[in-house]
Amino acid sequence: MAADLPMSPQLEQIHGEIRDNFRALANGFQRLDKIKDSNRQSKQLEELTVKMRECKRLIKEFDRELKDEEGRNPPEVNKQLNDEKQSMIKELNSYVALRKTYMSTLGNKKVELFDMGAGVSEPTADDNFQVASAMSNQELVNAGMKTMDETDQTIERTKKVVEQTIEVGTETAVQLKGQTDQMGRIVNELDTINFSIKKASQLVKEIGRQVATDKCIMLFLLLIVIGVIAIIVVKIVNPNNKNIRDIPGLAPPAPTRRLLYLRDAEYFN
């Protein structure tokens, strides 16, 4: 029936794009029933959400074009086009409700980030159809626009959360890199200190060996001096002791000189 509606080329193009997106949504939800993995289901729901946002944009554009052409069309044509617009809004709302039903079934937090409502309980698909049937055309339009506006606001909030998460991750990575560099410097300093301690230990050992050697040398010199002194003392006390050799450089004993003096005196007498 939509193909029989009198539309301008611009309206017809927009209407065709909306119908293409609706067919893609229908096929997407059919495939969603066959997917068993929750992660793949979440990804599929995200793709369907993108399609619904595109439908919302196109319906708004269709409404603007319809208002621009309203003065040039007969009243019955305007009524048919408005009915078609409301029909498309109802269909989009049905997909929104269906998406919420899948979200409540999954219970996946990742999918909840793309929730198209905020702070309200999520009705089932049957409840949404009953409410839509009881509403007037203008109320349906307003409800559809409000739902799509809430979707945009939720998506914007999600983007901000993602941006904040990326910023926090970047700051954390920078801090971790700084701490890693600091740990590397500490390890290098510990290696340097360990090397210095080893060198100091070796130096202390060498100094200890040198001190021990010097002590031995001093002890030997002291023994030699004591021995020389002992020989000198013994030689002075007992000069006639033949067991002790004369020390080189030491003067002969005094009694020998006295005997020579006595012999010279006897000669002159």
Side-chain angles (χ1 to χ4, degrees):
M1 291 187 299
D4 298 333
L5 291 176
M7 298 182 186
S8 65
Q10 184 67 23
L11 278 178
E12 188 174 357
Q13 180 180 356
I14 298 172
H15 183 269
E17 293 178 4
I18 294 172
R19 287 301 169 188
D20 290 340
N21 283 313
F22 280 160
R23 282 191 292 271
L25 286 172
N27 294 330
F29 280 109
Q30 288 178 0
R31 288 196 300 269
L32 191 61
D33 293 332
K34 300 178 182 179
I35 298 174
K36 303 301 180 183
D37 183 63
S38 59
N39 291 328
R40 292 181 59 192
Q41 286 180 340
S42 300
K43 185 176 180 181
Q44 180 70 12
L45 279 176
E46 292 174 8
E47 294 176 357
L48 294 175
T49 302
V50 174
K51 291 288 185 183
M52 284 186 276
R53 288 202 301 268
E54 180 65 15
C55 287
K56 171 193 170 182
R57 185 188 66 81
L58 291 172
I59 289 174
K60 286 183 176 181
E61 187 175 353
F62 185 89
D63 184 60
R64 286 194 297 269
E65 290 292 332
L66 185 59
K67 289 179 179 179
D68 292 340
E69 298 178 3
E70 190 174 4
R72 299 190 298 269
N73 295 329
E76 60 274 9
V77 173
N78 290 330
K79 184 179 183 302
Q80 292 177 357
L81 293 176
N82 282 319
D83 291 342
E84 178 63 18
K85 179 187 70 176
Q86 291 162 7
S87 175
M88 292 187 295
I89 293 174
K90 288 181 180 180
E91 188 170 356
L92 178 59
N93 286 336
S94 67
Y95 287 123
V96 171
L98 186 60
R99 177 185 174 279
K100 288 183 179 181
T101 302
Y102 276 102
M103 286 174 58
S104 62
T105 303
L106 282 175
N108 192 318
K109 293 182 179 181
K110 182 178 179 182
V111 179
E112 288 176 357
L113 291 175
F114 296 89
D115 187 9
M116 302 184 72
V120 296
S121 60
E122 295 181 355
T124 62
D126 293 336
D127 293 337
N128 277 277
F129 283 124
Q130 291 175 1
V131 172
S133 61
M135 298 171 79
S136 64
N137 292 336
Q138 188 60 39
E139 289 175 345
L140 286 171
V141 172
N142 294 335
M145 295 300 178
K146 182 179 178 181
T147 302
M148 289 185 283
D149 290 337
E150 290 175 353
T151 303
D152 288 342
Q153 293 174 3
T154 304
I155 292 171
E156 290 299 325
R157 289 195 297 268
T158 304
K159 289 181 179 178
K160 291 180 180 179
V161 172
V162 173
E163 291 175 357
Q164 292 175 357
T165 304
I166 292 174
E167 290 178 359
V168 172
T170 303
E171 293 176 358
T172 304
V174 172
Q175 292 177 357
L176 289 175
K177 185 178 184 301
Q179 292 176 358
T180 302
D181 296 338
Q182 185 177 3
M183 290 296 294
R185 290 193 296 271
I186 291 173
V187 171
N188 293 333
E189 291 176 359
L190 289 176
D191 292 338
T192 303
I193 293 172
N194 189 22
F195 178 75
S196 300
I197 291 173
K198 289 182 179 179
K199 294 294 292 184
S201 300
Q202 294 177 357
L203 183 60
V204 168
K205 290 180 182 179
E206 291 177 359
I207 292 174
R209 286 195 295 267
Q210 291 178 359
V211 170
T213 303
D214 294 340
K215 287 183 178 180
C216 292
I217 293 173
M218 293 297 294
L219 180 60
F220 287 139
L221 290 175
L222 180 61
L223 292 175
I224 292 172
V225 171
I226 291 173
V228 171
I229 293 173
I231 293 171
I232 293 172
V233 171
V234 172
K235 195 67 175 177
I236 293 173
V237 173
N238 190 7
N240 295 323
N241 190 351
K242 301 300 182 180
N243 294 326
I244 302 175
R245 298 176 60 184
D246 293 335
I247 299 174
L250 188 63
T256 304
R257 292 195 299 271
R258 188 169 58 251
L259 291 175
L260 290 175
Y261 174 75
L262 291 175
R263 289 177 182 174
D264 291 339
E266 290 177 357
Y267 177 78
F268 286 110
N269 291 331

